[in-house]
Amino acid sequence: MLSLRVAIPAANTLIPTKTKPKPGLVVQTGWNQTDLFSSLPKRYDYKLQAATTGLTDGRASVEDKEVELPAGLSRELMPKHVAVIMDGNGRWARQRGLPTSAGHEAGVKSLREMVELCCQWGIQVLTVFAFSSENWIRPKVEVNFLLSLFERALESEMESFQRSGIRISVIGDSSKLPASLLSLINKVEETTKNNTRLQLIVAVSYSGKYDVVQACRSIVERAKDGQIQLADIDEGLIEQELETNCTEYPYPDLLIRTSGELRVSNFLLWQLAYTELFFTQELWPDFGKEEFVEALSSYQQRQRRFGGRHS
Amino acid sequence: MLVNEDDLQRIFSEWTSILRKCLFRVIRVGPIPSHLAIIMDGNPRYAKKKKLEEGTGHDAGAMALLYLLVYCYELGIKYVTAYAFSIHNFKRSREEVKKIMDLMMESVILLTRLSKFCSLRVHFAGNLQLLSTELRNAAKKLMENTAGNSNLVLTICVSYTCSDEILHAVEESSRERTDGAVVKLADIEKHMYMAVAPDPDIIIRTGGECRLSNFLLWQSSCCHLSSVYTVWPEFGVLHLVWVVMDFQHKYPYFARKKMKQFVSVP
């Protein structure tokens, strides 16, 4: 690899430098949001509501309102939907001379912590990329371990999800999953379907392209059956057929990827149209409260234009 | 006129081009991406910074794209895709939209001349029905005239969003598959506006923002993302070299990925 050093002010802004969020940070909200968003595509209407009214839709419980946010974060600017690519478990384990399975178990602990923080800070939806359709080519031992880890985690956490008001949804190609896991997923989804505090969407055997292809297939079927005309096919119809139709907020506001890799890896391709991307060098088992605050702080400082122009 | 014949000659013949070619010779020791995609953000900020008239930032941006084409040609990058105008940009002020459309028209004329210097193929990706008839016809004519060229393929995404591109591909697949056969991934991909080029190796976004803004969402599934703080009109040779070296650092992962068989999506 070449190691030519040139002094160019071209730092890759995808990997942030380590700075602590400033206390009392003023976030720019100077522009007139109503004018900016007046002709947005329909799917972003809820963002206008969230931006102008804050969290007053009744979802936040009394407990949430009492939890103080870390310095520098504003509740009004909290993202409604956060997506995470949990990368780096294997590397974390190798660095410590542990087997890969230990890395994945440490990753589950990290996820538990993040779920709790999302509940406290008023984030409505958390989507995590647990297992990609491309991960099936990993060694069978690792794949079987991951699936069994997922099964064990679901079983052990089911009651705690119920108590905390967390709704679980699983998206992805379920045809390859073992029957025991499938039935457990159905059971957990059924049990937690009425919970409203946080929706945790776990992407297992998921691929963004597969999601669009299966949506297309459904639409073709419906057109064949005469339920819809070809002229009726629009972005809204595709959104309804995607696997993320299980949630009211299918579009992530913020995507976090750990371990320093700068790519999306076939995760939620359609849904990431206007998502703010945040990449961090930390490995997933090391991603904790401090790193999450950094990601949210970066998100809250960004100016989202959705193709428009602000004055 | 955006640029004249002398400017074009100068790009190829000044002494700086000798230095540049030497630098590129060194970089070419490592792997070079075959497809570079750019989100050209920051033109108005550039105009504000240089205290220029509003709208001239886009002129500077067009010049920067022209220079980048030359650099990519010299570096051996075969495909360049530039995000010129999104469907959602139509909601900007009428003056700005008109300014960009006029600039697009000038660029079509300029690209016709540039295509004679190197075998340049120009392709316009997007919903061209939303453009004026004059611009649409000029774009189609340029695409036809350069269809046989292959040294460098420039795709300009105008009136484009990836959602619209996927929607269009889904509509075409539905039209084709009324016989009842199952829709496959290949059916959707062949109807994409971007089917002329392979998936990008790098997507660069200038201006410091970290989002894709509905650009090549489908094609970016496994590509390296690079966000550069510099605004687009200031993006030059050294920035390009830095991005390519960053790509070379990550290249072993992408090479391994291409070697492995993906799990086929039926």
Side-chain angles (χ1 to χ4, degrees):
Chain A
M1 199 212 93
L2 298 172
S3 58
L4 185 68
R5 288 182 188 274
V6 281
I8 337 165
N12 190 339
T13 57
L14 282 172
I15 306 278
T17 49
K18 277 279 181 191
T19 50
K20 296 234 174 341
K22 296 175 196 161
L25 185 71
V26 174
V27 181
Q28 293 180 16
T29 54
W31 69 94
N32 185 333
Q33 291 179 345
T34 312
D35 283 346
L36 176 62
F37 294 131
S38 59
S39 55
L40 266 179
K42 247 190 279 180
R43 57 181 150 163
Y44 292 108
D45 282 350
Y46 73 84
K47 290 182 194 294
L48 173 59
Q49 275 187 334
T52 53
T53 64
L55 290 169
T56 54
D57 56 0
R59 280 176 186 261
S61 68
V62 172
E63 287 173 50
D64 288 333
K65 284 177 184 162
E66 287 174 357
V67 171
E68 267 201 41
L69 289 178
L73 292 185
S74 155
R75 196 167 279 278
E76 286 75 29
L77 295 171
M78 272 298 177
K80 280 256 195 260
H81 181 167
V82 174
V84 183
I85 301 178
M86 307 183 292
D87 199 10
N89 294 340
R91 261 166 285 179
W92 184 91
R94 269 198 302 278
Q95 277 175 8
R96 286 154 182 75
L98 298 168
T100 318
S101 50
H104 293 306
E105 295 200 0
V108 171
K109 288 198 188 103
S110 222
L111 178 58
R112 228 177 256 133
E113 194 187 332
M114 191 157 189
V115 165
E116 211 172 297
L117 290 172
C118 289
C119 284
Q120 288 173 5
W121 296 346
I123 290 165
Q124 305 288 331
V125 185
L126 174 66
T127 303
V128 294
F129 202 12
F131 193 84
S132 158
S133 60
E134 283 139 22
N135 291 150
W136 287 108
I137 56 174
R138 286 190 180 181
K140 207 159 184 258
V141 170
E142 189 180 347
V143 169
N144 289 341
F145 174 80
L146 280 169
L147 295 177
S148 71
L149 176 65
F150 183 45
E151 208 171 321
R152 276 184 282 129
L154 269 184
E155 265 190 67
S156 61
E157 298 295 322
M158 190 158 55
E159 269 190 48
S160 129
F161 289 149
Q162 197 53 12
R163 268 198 317 271
S164 313
I166 297 173
R167 180 184 166 190
I168 302 290
S169 303
V170 175
I171 59 174
D173 181 10
S174 52
S175 62
K176 291 186 174 178
L177 300 179
S180 58
L181 178 56
L182 269 176
S183 65
L184 178 62
I185 287 170
N186 288 334
K187 187 176 162 199
V188 173
E189 281 183 337
E190 189 59 36
T191 314
T192 58
K193 70 179 181 202
N194 294 320
N195 297 340
T196 55
R197 194 167 174 205
L198 169 76
Q199 183 168 11
L200 174 62
I201 300 176
V202 186
V204 179
S205 184
Y206 180 85
S207 146
K209 286 190 179 178
Y210 157 80
D211 203 359
V212 173
V213 169
Q214 66 84 26
C216 176
R217 276 197 203 133
S218 313
I219 290 170
V220 167
E221 284 297 318
R222 287 173 68 184
K224 212 171 56 160
D225 295 340
Q227 288 177 29
I228 48 166
Q229 305 299 320
L230 286 179
D232 295 335
I233 300 176
D234 60 5
E235 290 184 16
L237 192 64
I238 297 183
E239 286 163 27
Q240 283 170 31
E241 297 295 336
L242 290 171
E243 300 225 14
T244 43
N245 58 10
C246 58
T247 174
E248 200 182 331
Y249 309 112
Y251 301 105
D253 296 302
L254 173 64
L255 170 78
I256 299 171
R257 181 174 185 142
T258 53
S259 86
E261 302 296 342
L262 304 174
R263 50 185 181 262
V264 168
S265 294
N266 211 354
F267 182 48
L268 291 182
L269 299 179
W270 171 282
Q271 296 86 339
L272 290 184
Y274 291 98
T275 302
E276 297 293 331
L277 310 176
F278 181 84
F279 298 89
T280 174
Q281 293 281 12
E282 300 292 335
L283 303 173
W284 175 245
D286 293 328
F287 190 88
K289 184 175 177 183
E290 206 183 289
E291 290 76 21
F292 194 25
V293 166
E294 194 186 333
L296 290 173
S297 178
S298 169
Y299 168 80
Q300 293 192 349
Q301 288 174 51
R302 297 190 190 181
Q303 294 176 347
R304 306 185 76 189
R305 300 190 291 262
F306 301 98
R309 171 87 62 221
H310 59 84
S311 51
Chain B
M1 186 56 83
L2 184 60
V3 72
N4 58 30
E5 207 75 40
D6 291 337
D7 290 331
L8 280 176
Q9 290 288 354
R10 210 175 299 133
I11 290 162
F12 286 101
S13 61
E14 273 188 338
W15 65 270
T16 48
S17 83
I18 299 168
L19 277 179
R20 190 174 65 237
K21 282 169 186 163
C22 290
L23 178 59
F24 286 168
R25 275 264 164 99
V26 171
I27 301 302
R28 286 178 77 156
V29 169
I32 297 292
S34 65
H35 184 173
L36 186 76
I38 318 135
I39 303 175
M40 305 184 291
D41 198 15
N43 294 339
R45 268 174 280 171
Y46 174 81
K48 206 171 166 186
K49 183 174 143 186
K50 299 283 183 191
K51 297 186 174 50
L52 300 171
E53 205 182 288
E54 206 177 308
T56 47
H58 296 298
D59 290 325
M63 274 302 297
L65 179 60
L66 171 66
Y67 276 96
L68 183 83
L69 270 183
V70 171
Y71 304 150
C72 288
Y73 176 68
E74 290 175 351
L75 195 51
I77 295 173
K78 181 124 190 239
Y79 298 91
V80 177
T81 301
Y83 197 12
F85 196 80
S86 159
I87 292 177
H88 294 312
N89 291 155
F90 276 112
K91 63 179 184 255
R92 291 186 180 176
S93 69
R94 202 176 286 180
E95 293 79 24
E96 190 177 348
V97 174
K98 184 177 183 313
K99 165 78 191 162
I100 294 173
M101 291 299 144
D102 291 343
L103 183 61
M104 206 78 73
M105 197 68 214
E106 277 189 43
S107 305
V108 167
I109 300 165
L110 182 61
L111 286 169
T112 311
R113 284 157 52 214
L114 185 63
S115 63
K116 294 175 194 153
F117 284 91
C118 58
S119 174
L120 170 70
R121 179 180 176 185
V122 182
H123 178 75
F124 288 88
N127 190 347
L128 301 184
Q129 297 307 316
L130 298 177
L131 301 175
S132 68
T133 316
E134 191 196 354
L135 180 55
R136 186 169 58 251
N137 291 340
K140 284 185 176 164
K141 190 171 171 207
L142 178 57
M143 285 199 277
E144 276 162 30
N145 290 345
T146 57
N149 299 343
S150 57
N151 268 3
L152 177 62
V153 180
L154 168 66
T155 305
I156 300 180
C157 293
V158 60
S159 183
Y160 172 93
T161 58
C162 195
S163 315
D164 181 68
E165 183 183 25
I166 294 174
L167 175 66
H168 171 259
V170 166
E171 278 173 356
E172 294 298 313
S173 307
S174 303
R175 235 170 239 128
E176 239 182 34
R177 290 286 175 177
T178 46
D179 57 353
V182 174
V183 173
K184 296 194 172 97
L185 181 70
D187 297 325
I188 295 185
E189 289 197 323
K190 81 176 181 220
H191 290 299
M192 293 284 208
Y193 298 137
M194 290 294 302
V196 293
D199 287 350
D201 294 304
I202 313 177
I203 295 182
I204 303 171
R205 180 168 188 139
T206 55
E209 302 287 358
C210 300
R211 51 183 181 256
L212 289 170
S213 293
N214 225 326
F215 180 57
L216 301 185
L217 304 172
W218 178 274
Q219 296 84 350
S220 68
S221 63
C222 288
C223 101
H224 180 65
L225 306 174
S226 185
S227 174
V228 175
Y229 192 73
T230 314
V231 291
W232 172 243
E234 291 177 341
F235 190 88
V237 174
L238 294 181
H239 299 95
L240 175 66
V241 163
W242 183 88
V243 168
V244 170
M245 286 175 65
D246 193 30
F247 166 79
Q248 288 177 342
H249 176 58
K250 300 282 182 205
Y251 184 74
Y253 166 82
F254 292 109
R256 274 199 310 272
K257 193 90 180 164
K258 279 181 184 162
M259 296 272 293
K260 286 178 186 172
Q261 293 291 325
F262 288 116
V263 172
S264 65
V265 179

